[in-house]
Amino acid sequence: MTTDLDRLVRRLTKYNDWRRGKDVGMPEPKDTGADIDAAIRIVDRVYMWSEFSDEEMRLHAGEMTAQEIRSVRAVLNSISA
């Protein structure tokens, strides 16, 4: 299944390929701007979650076990590494 995130990554990759001179056709600037805005929102959320204490995570996500919190932290750490 293709997700919105998959499509976002493909569009930004195509934009970057075009920017580097690959013959892929210029993406629509308005769409590229919206894609960059979306990517910034995602990065901001990842950063926000990585700064949460365990209690703040529970407040934002509902009840989480210690193992679930460790799993979320591991994913966030791998993303921001």
Side-chain angles (χ1 to χ4, degrees):
M1 174 184 357
T2 302
T3 65
D4 290 341
L5 187 55
D6 292 328
R7 287 188 288 274
L8 175 65
V9 169
R10 279 199 317 273
R11 287 190 309 264
L12 286 172
T13 300
K14 180 182 176 184
Y15 166 72
N16 216 26
D17 289 344
W18 169 80
R19 191 180 61 78
R20 290 180 173 154
K22 205 172 198 181
D23 188 21
V24 293
M26 180 180 162
E28 187 64 38
K30 184 177 178 181
D31 295 339
T32 300
D35 290 342
I36 292 169
D37 290 342
I40 290 169
R41 283 191 303 276
I42 291 166
V43 171
D44 281 343
R45 263 185 250 140
V46 167
Y47 179 73
M48 177 186 71
W49 275 83
S50 69
E51 295 294 309
F52 280 166
S53 67
D54 291 359
E55 195 56 39
E56 288 171 315
M57 262 193 207
R58 286 187 183 100
L59 285 172
H60 283 81
E63 281 304 309
M64 295 176 76
T65 66
Q67 179 59 45
E68 289 169 330
I69 289 173
R70 283 192 298 275
S71 296
V72 169
R73 290 207 186 285
V75 169
L76 292 170
N77 288 337
S78 71
I79 291 170
S80 59

